[in-house]
Amino acid sequence: MVTATPDARPRGTRLPRLARRRQLLGAAQEVFVAQGYHAAAMDEIAERAGVSKPVLYQHFPGKLELYLALLDEHAEALVRTVRDALESTTDNKQRVQAVIAAFYDFVAGEGEAYRLVFESDLRNVAPVRARVERTNQQCAEMIAQVIAEDTDAPPDEAHLLGMSLVGMAEVSARYWLSQHRAIPKDTAEKIIARLAWRGISGFPRTS
């Protein structure tokens, strides 16, 4: 018997399929973030969502599939955010600032979804590792394309720079959050953006 948590939703409400899926994903995120994948139980996720376990299994055949659906959703959101940041301006200094801000926004977002992407306890499981690596690669490739278009950097060097900027943004954002936001978010973003820009701006432009 699963004891209902204080945040469990009341049962009995019929929802359209997509709305129910959103509800289940929201409940799963709360449990996975709080407990990690291995300690999370489908019974608890169903209870938190206010549904029976058979209803949960109608939407997701297993715990891993549920986790991967969440991971896909938030990884795609990060990629979109970085793409929007790069497309928000044609000024490269502002682009660097926007990309750094994109990672800080993602890490500071509600629900601590970043933990599913950056701090998963399933990083060694092939489908999870593949998704995380693909996310990093997609972000790095978008940045590398801008660098390659504006400099003489060969593709391999541009990609290395792109991946380095992704790593700098991710690690610094997670560290900033772990320090309980001791530095105001906009200040932290500006500090890291200044560091990144001093390096990237050293590559001469071709135009």
Side-chain angles (χ1 to χ4, degrees):
M1 181 71 69
V2 177
T3 302
T5 65
D7 296 327
R9 281 67 165 176
R11 296 190 180 189
T13 303
R14 295 184 63 85
L15 293 175
R17 184 171 181 81
L18 288 178
R20 177 67 76 193
R21 179 182 171 87
R22 295 288 335 135
Q23 180 193 38
L24 296 175
L25 287 171
Q29 179 175 323
E30 293 173 3
V31 176
F32 283 135
V33 166
Q35 301 184 18
Y37 176 84
H38 296 292
M42 293 292 272
D43 302 70
E44 182 175 355
I45 293 170
E47 186 71 29
R48 185 168 293 250
V51 302
S52 65
K53 196 158 71 167
V55 169
L56 178 58
Y57 280 112
Q58 286 174 8
H59 292 263
F60 302 98
K63 186 167 73 166
L64 180 58
E65 288 79 9
L66 177 54
Y67 189 89
L68 292 176
L70 267 175
L71 178 57
D72 284 340
E73 179 178 282
H74 293 298
E76 289 166 7
L78 175 60
V79 171
R80 285 196 305 272
T81 301
V82 172
R83 181 182 296 112
D84 290 344
L86 289 167
E87 294 176 351
S88 65
T89 177
T90 58
D91 182 280
N92 285 331
K93 183 177 182 179
Q94 293 179 13
R95 275 176 170 156
V96 170
Q97 295 173 343
V99 167
I100 297 298
F103 277 86
Y104 275 73
D105 288 343
F106 183 71
V107 167
E110 292 184 9
E112 298 184 279
Y114 79 94
R115 294 188 184 279
L116 301 173
V117 181
F118 297 143
E119 299 179 359
S120 172
D121 53 352
L122 288 185
R123 289 292 287 266
N124 290 326
V125 175
V128 174
R129 182 174 64 250
R131 283 163 166 81
V132 173
E133 290 177 353
R134 182 174 66 238
T135 300
N136 288 334
Q137 289 288 347
Q138 287 176 320
C139 292
E141 286 169 5
M142 290 187 292
I143 297 168
Q145 183 177 353
V146 174
I147 294 172
E149 288 173 353
D150 284 354
T151 72
D152 287 323
D156 287 348
E157 293 183 11
H159 188 79
L160 179 60
L161 289 168
M163 188 61 77
S164 298
L165 183 57
V166 167
M168 181 187 298
E170 174 201 331
V171 172
S172 68
R174 289 169 54 203
Y175 176 77
W176 165 78
L177 192 64
S178 75
Q179 299 304 299
H180 310 291
R181 312 182 191 219
I183 300 174
K185 178 170 170 288
D186 60 341
T187 301
E189 292 170 357
K190 290 175 182 176
I191 290 172
I192 302 304
R194 189 180 310 132
L195 172 63
W197 177 245
R198 285 179 67 88
I200 292 176
S201 63
F203 290 83
R205 298 193 59 163
T206 55
S207 59

